[in-house]
Amino acid sequence: MLSNHLQNGMETAKLMWSRLPNSENGEVDELGRLNKGDGSSVESLDYEVIENYAYREEQAQRGKLYVGYYVGVKWFFALLVGIGTGLAAVFINLSVENFAGWKFSLTFYIIQRSYIAGFLVYVLINLALVFSSAYIVTQFAPAAAGSGIPEIKGYLNGVDIHGILLFRTLIGKIFGSIGSVGGGLALGKEGPLVHTGACIASLLGQGGSTKYHLSSRWLQVFKTDRDRRDLVTCGCAAGVAAAFRAPVGGVLFALEEVTSWWRSQLMWRVFFTSAIVAVVVRTAMGWCKSGNCGHFGSGGFIIWDVSDGQEDYSFEELLPMAFIGIIGGLLGALFNQLTLYITHWRRTHLHKKGNQVKVIEVCLLSVITSVISFGLPLFKKCSPCPEPDPNSGIECPRPPGMYGNYVNFYCGKDKEYNDLATIFFNTQDDAIRNLFSAKTMHEYSAQSLLTFLVMFYTLAVVTFGTAVPAGQFVPGIMIGSTYGRLVGMFVVSFYKKLNIEEGTYALLGAASFLGGSMRMTVSLCVIMVEITNNLKLLPLIMLVLLISKAVGDAFNEGLYEEQARLRGIPLLESRPKYQMRNMTAKEACGNQKVVFLPRIVNVADLVSILRSNSHNGFPVIDHTRSGETLVIGLAIRSHLLVLLQSKVDFQHSPLPCDLQGGSLPVRHNFGEFVKPASSKGLSIDDIHVSPDDVEMYIDLAPFVNQSPYIVPEDMSLTKVYNLFRQLGLRHIFVVPRASRVIGMLTRKDLLIEETEDSTAVELQSTSVRVRQHDRSTGTRNADAGHPLLDGLLV
């Protein structure tokens, strides 16, 4: 019977392995995107609403009831994002904890009889979990590899990367994280949870998944990229709130790290979503306390309570704490640089050879990690247990298969423990809890901490960038808390004060490494305070974060920025480059030739233009009766493809339609022009025109964005950059220096007050007058108007 099951398992494994392709056509990165070398794998998004004729007609037909319904749907979706992300986090945490619990329980049970058999079981269980994760990613969801935070940051920055928010990416992220984290690799599940929350939000924003028939029409309310991106921002905050049980930290993480455009209305919804996540996770923890969660122990939902730790600190302790910040900045910058080099080599040499090589690489790293975590504690001598303290609630040694400090691993006596196994032979959450723990003075030797630091740092560098979902929050906390505890041991022996806790320095070390690697300050500070439940340490955490970020910035950029650049994601940072100060908008345009479209365009000409270039925006021009050329707006490529596909706007005559008279029938609603969030949308290859169609014409005036943003040619490129990024633009027109001004608006003109009649509004307009030169007196008349000056937006 056993041989039959073994044979069936081998045949299943061979079948799965044979399905993995040996090679791939073209260079495919871990997102599953084909790199063509011309940047065509990504596309920009427009945060501003495209105000064409269809949009304005649709807005004019909406009343206050619909506006209230629209706002209500936004809040309802925020509620669903919070519930969905919280439930996904509960599922991932319970799965990881149960797999880890079964693994350690079985291993501890077997090593009572044979360490070799226990070692083999431990390696095989880890290998099976990691293989399942790599197989899911390579075969089912390539975009689920990595943490996903650089890709989500790029999406919220205005870059549409196909595949990162699909339903299969969500499934691959959830189950891949369970396999990779449960398999004991040197990575975490917190970054993937951010990506998971973003995927849930995106699927809600587009009404579900049409490919897997999980869509609903009544959910398809959001028709602009702005609404969808705002919802994805809520998902990112929900992911952090679920990962660390830090709702306020999640809001600040979304504000500081991932999103590029922020509004006060969005702040409220993000805060509401994070609060819902906190309620869901707290409810799940209360349910698990009754014993309904299997092997779920004190780990899982991260909270490393150090409220019983160090009460106060002295002035002379600030110097070693500042030293921790310097170490964090140096090691964090080194980590970023090493991962950048290794990931680049992996992409250019290793991953080109196909998916089988990716799986082999991850499985090999799994075996190496298992050998190190199981084998190194065998060479460490056990230490006698300290005197029992009934007030601490800590048992030495801990019972086999249970969570806690003081692991009895390969020890000859019952009252002994292996300090290296207490860190290595544990889940990362519990290992961090052990490093943070107070009232455990002299639990670890300096030799053990240094050994773990070197090995785990190396494993984290090598594992990052493999074909599995991987976060760097928890590995960073592991690394930082190790050298932080080392510094704490030195401070305790140097100052000889009983009120100094090594766990406090471990916490500061964790904050310093994350600050030196990810370069976050405010959000990370709040997250560390929330997960440790100790507000007294806030000034110290701020100190080490500021120092570590300053030191790290002296060498390179943050981890997510470096990885985004490596993946070819064109991020617009918050600050323009210094050399832009000496450049103008015209110089930035270079010698590019702008492709114009006439207002009345022939179908054959339009198809030819769309096939001959890859531009996504086309200025539309018209001619006045006097022969003057006017730019009437901007036509988007996706909108033109919709017009060509529907054919309802084709006309035989090359005459313009009358937009002012209201005689133009509305044949489209604004939702038809919205690009699907989960697909690439229409392509020119999808358009089929008949010989009769090519003789027809289209009047583009109703479908162009009639109010594109325009800058003069001599504007500083720094100002153009700030305008482009802060408004979330996709295109901006560069025009010759304006020859005339047609008016001026001030703050007072923008203050609109509603009158008693709800349909009427009162504009508090300022009269704009220009001083005209009086020939007789040589002065200017302030009351004389000028026909060319009506208003200027200031």
Side-chain angles (χ1 to χ4, degrees), residues 103-130:
K103 176 179 65 178
F104 287 122
S105 297
L106 182 60
T107 304
F108 270 108
Y109 174 77
I110 295 177
I111 62 177
Q112 304 298 325
R113 296 164 175 79
S114 171
Y115 273 93
I116 296 178
F119 168 74
L120 292 177
V121 170
Y122 180 75
V123 171
L124 289 177
I125 293 176
N126 285 337
L127 185 60
L129 290 171
V130 171

Side-chain angles (χ1 to χ4, degrees), residues 695-754:
E695 303 295 332
M696 307 287 281
Y697 297 89
I698 303 178
D699 186 357
L700 299 179
F703 312 104
V704 300
N705 183 9
Q706 301 176 3
S707 54
Y709 287 88
I710 298 175
V711 298
E713 60 181 348
D714 55 353
M715 177 181 282
S716 167
L717 191 57
T718 299
K719 295 181 66 176
V720 176
Y721 183 96
N722 291 329
L723 177 68
F724 194 96
R725 188 185 187 279
Q726 292 174 10
L727 294 179
L729 303 181
R730 185 179 183 183
H731 305 93
I732 194 166
F733 284 174
V734 180
V735 299
R737 165 56 65 179
S739 60
R740 62 176 184 171
V741 178
I742 61 172
M744 180 168 67
L745 292 175
T746 64
R747 179 184 297 269
K748 188 176 181 180
D749 299 298
L750 301 178
L751 296 177
I752 300 178
E753 294 184 358
E754 293 189 7

Side-chain angles (χ1 to χ4, degrees), residues 60 163 200 202 244 331 344 357 397 399 412 501 536 574 760-761 770 784 788-789:
I200 293 174
S202 177
F244 294 102
L331 290 181
H344 181 265
V357 176
E501 288 287 351
K536 297 178 182 179
S574 58
V761 295
V770 176
L788 296 181
L789 291 172

Side-chain angles (χ1 to χ4, degrees), residues 140-151:
F140 181 68
S147 68
I149 294 180
E151 291 77 22

Side-chain angles (χ1 to χ4, degrees), residues 544-576:
V544 297
L545 281 176
L546 290 173
I547 295 176
S548 62
K549 175 176 170 54
V551 173
D553 285 338
F555 294 95
N556 50 34
E557 291 184 313
L559 177 66
Y560 300 137
E561 288 77 13
E562 294 278 6
Q563 293 298 320
R565 183 177 294 107
L566 181 65
R567 287 165 167 77
I569 302 174
L571 289 180
L572 290 180
E573 299 297 335
S574 58
R575 294 185 301 175

